[in-house]
Every structure is written in structure tokens, then in C-alpha cells.
Amino acid sequence: MRKIHLLTLIPLILLSCQEKTELRTDLKPIYSDYKNTLQRNNLYGKVKKIEYFKTTFQNTDKEDKSVLNKIEEYTDFGELKKAEYFDNHGELLQTNVIDYNENKKFIKSISFSKSNNTNILQTVEYDSIKNTSELNVFLNDTIDHKMISYFGRNDYPIKQVTIKGNDTTEVNFEYDFDNNNKIKSATQKEKGNKKSMTSNLYKYDNNNNLVESSYKTEWLEMISETEWKDGRILKQTSYTIAADLKKYTDNITEFDILYNPINEKIYENSELNRELEYDYEFDQFGNWIKRTVSMKEYFAKSNKFIPIYIETRKIKYWK
């Protein structure tokens, strides 16, 4: 077992950086091949801590009290190390604490749910020679299951074996790459179960940007199409092909240049059901600190957008 590296304490910027600024055009989102959780969560700068608050409008012009609903803490190398989740009244529901080794790889997490008094411990051990990892999951100090993962090219999993009690499940993965080392297809199949196969297909434009992906099972297919402009994602559209083989529009989302959603159309059986608009305020690092969400309900014959809630984020940064 590798030793856990204790993080060097780095002073915090006392300023929480909540001052409103314009949308920064010098930043560019990272859409794949993330180096850490900050990039995955579309956050900029060396974020140390974020407190999330939500204010809901109750069908009036006067908003309700702002309620704390989540706190995230990050390491100085950009990984999530603690998360706390709260209910609609600001009462703590669940706490997750995460540890990493000296190579910044996940090795342990502890999750405690206050609502049902449940404690979940996950530990991971890595074998660099066999190129495997072993995940053990404990529920209230009793082993629940373990999963051994085997990795191949580019550290993609090629096999996963899950052991729970007397049951063992083996899932195998296969990949097809293009000339640019991008995945064209990925399939996974449970050993001994012919109907368990799922497949993913990927298409790219001439700039190697992902423009279409699909996830297909025996019963349905989900498709996502992405539009790009000047190297940035402009719009994403999702569809479902169900048992009747018809293609149904599910969702159309448009983004600003930093990949924040600014408009979202939600469909039911390809019929526009409701539409959301997002208005932002940003700090000087490029992260939004206030988001006002308004909705138009087409199913209710609404002809204007009504504010439904406001989200705010108090962000602190490492130096």
C-alpha cells in the first residue's frame, strides 16, 4: 500500500473574489482528457473551497431566504477532498471525505449519510506491474463488494471483475481507435450474458472535435450531437431512439464561450415542453458566482420567462 502524501498547507487568499466582472474571453474550457476534478467541473484558477446557496421564488416577485445546499473543498492539485450536502432547509445530509496518494491518485473515501446513519468506505490499491486496481467497498464496516479492474492501451479498462458475496461478475471491454488515437467505438459485455452488451460510437470533425456520440443497448439508443465554433462548444442536442425505432428530441442546450449553459430546451416526445434561461455574474477568475434561472412552460401555454431560482457560489482560492 502506498503512503498517503500529506498536503503542504498553502495560505488562502482572504478575498473570496465575489466581485462581478465580465465574461473572460482569454479562458478556454477543457472538454475531455481532464487532469483533475476542477477541469471536469469547469472551474478556473486554483479553487480551494466553494459554498453553494440556492434561493427559490415562490410564485412572487419576492424571493425566499438563501439556503446552503453544498460545500466542496479541493486540494492544491485540483482534486475534490471533501463534499457536504444539505437539504432544502440547510440541514446536513451527507459528508464525503476523499484521500489521495503521493501520485495524486484516489486511494480512499468515506461517505456518511446522516439521514439513514449509513457509513460507506471505499479503498483502492494499485498494481503498476499488472496494471490493475482493486476497489473494496465497505458498508457500515462490513465488506459489501470488491472490483478488480484491468487496464490496457491509454489506461482504458479492458476487464472488470466484481465479487459480491458468492457472486462474481466479469465485464469485458473492447475499443477501436482512429488514426489520431481517438476512440471510434467501445463495447462492453458481461461474460456469460449475451444480452448484456452495450456499445458507444464516436464521430469527430476535421479538427478532432467530438461531434456525435451514441450509447446503445438492446432496448434503446441515446445520441448526443455537438456543434462547435472557433474551437468551443456552442450547442449540444440529445435524442433517444426507443423500441419503436423513432428518433425523439430530448434536450437542446446552448452555451456561452466558457461552456456555461445559457439556454436549455426540454422536450417530451419531441414536443417542446419547457425552456430555461440562465443569466450569470462572474468573478475575476472566470467562475460564475451568481446564476439566475428563469423558465417558460410551453405545456402551460406560458408566453414569458419567469424567474424560478437563484444560485450563488462563494469561492475561495489557493495562492
Side-chain angles (χ1 to χ4, degrees), residues 56-70:
T56 304
F57 293 91
Q58 299 293 338
N59 298 320
T60 66
D61 292 332
K62 186 177 180 180
E63 61 191 64
D64 285 345
K65 181 180 177 181
S66 179
V67 177
L68 176 67
N69 61 17
K70 183 169 61 171

Side-chain angles (χ1 to χ4, degrees), residues 186-189 196-200 215-217:
T187 60
Q188 64 180 72
K189 186 176 182 181
S196 68
M197 189 174 72
T198 63
S199 61
N200 296 78
Y215 171 78
K216 189 175 183 179
T217 70

Side-chain angles (χ1 to χ4, degrees), residues 287-302:
N287 297 309
W288 66 263
I289 53 176
K290 183 178 180 180
R291 178 165 73 175
T292 302
V293 183
S294 303
M295 181 168 65
K296 184 190 291 187
E297 297 177 322
Y298 290 89
F299 67 89
K301 308 300 182 183
S302 173

Side-chain angles (χ1 to χ4, degrees), residues 162-224:
T162 302
I163 303 170
K164 185 169 185 176
N166 295 323
D167 295 327
T168 300
T169 303
E170 179 179 321
V171 177
N172 294 283
F173 302 82
E174 294 182 0
Y175 306 91
D176 185 22
F177 296 86
D178 64 15
N179 294 331
N180 296 306
N181 208 30
K182 296 278 190 178
I183 294 181
K184 294 193 298 182
S185 66
T187 60
Q188 64 180 72
K189 186 176 182 181
E190 182 181 330
K191 186 177 180 180
N193 187 345
K194 294 182 179 180
K195 295 184 178 181
S196 68
M197 189 174 72
T198 63
S199 61
N200 296 78
L201 299 176
Y202 305 92
K203 295 180 181 179
Y204 306 88
D205 62 16
N206 292 331
N207 295 314
N208 287 323
N209 296 318
L210 180 66
V211 293
E212 183 179 320
S213 64
S214 71
Y215 171 78
K216 189 175 183 179
T217 70
E218 180 186 5
W219 303 278
L220 60 82
E221 181 177 8
M222 292 181 289
I223 300 171
S224 176

Side-chain angles (χ1 to χ4, degrees), residues 90-140:
E91 296 293 329
L92 182 64
L93 287 175
Q94 182 173 318
T95 301
N96 300 341
V97 179
I98 307 167
D99 288 330
Y100 303 87
N101 64 16
E102 67 274 13
N103 295 318
K104 305 175 184 179
K105 296 180 71 173
F106 165 77
I107 56 171
K108 183 175 73 172
S109 71
I110 300 175
S111 301
F112 176 72
S113 175
K114 191 175 180 180
S115 59
N116 57 14
N117 201 32
T118 300
N119 186 73
I120 298 176
L121 168 66
Q122 298 184 78
T123 63
V124 176
E125 294 186 28
Y126 302 94
D127 188 325
S128 58
I129 297 176
K130 296 180 180 179
N131 206 14
T132 63
S133 67
E134 181 176 315
L135 170 70
N136 288 276
V137 180
F138 299 84
L139 178 61
N140 293 332

Side-chain angles (χ1 to χ4, degrees), residues 22 38 88-89 95 109 130 145 152 159 190 208 223 226 232 269 306:
E22 297 297 323
L38 287 182
N88 293 332
H89 304 287
T95 301
S109 71
K130 296 180 180 179
H145 67 274
K159 183 171 71 173
E190 182 181 330
N208 287 323
I223 300 171
T226 303
R232 300 175 187 264
N269 294 321
I306 305 296

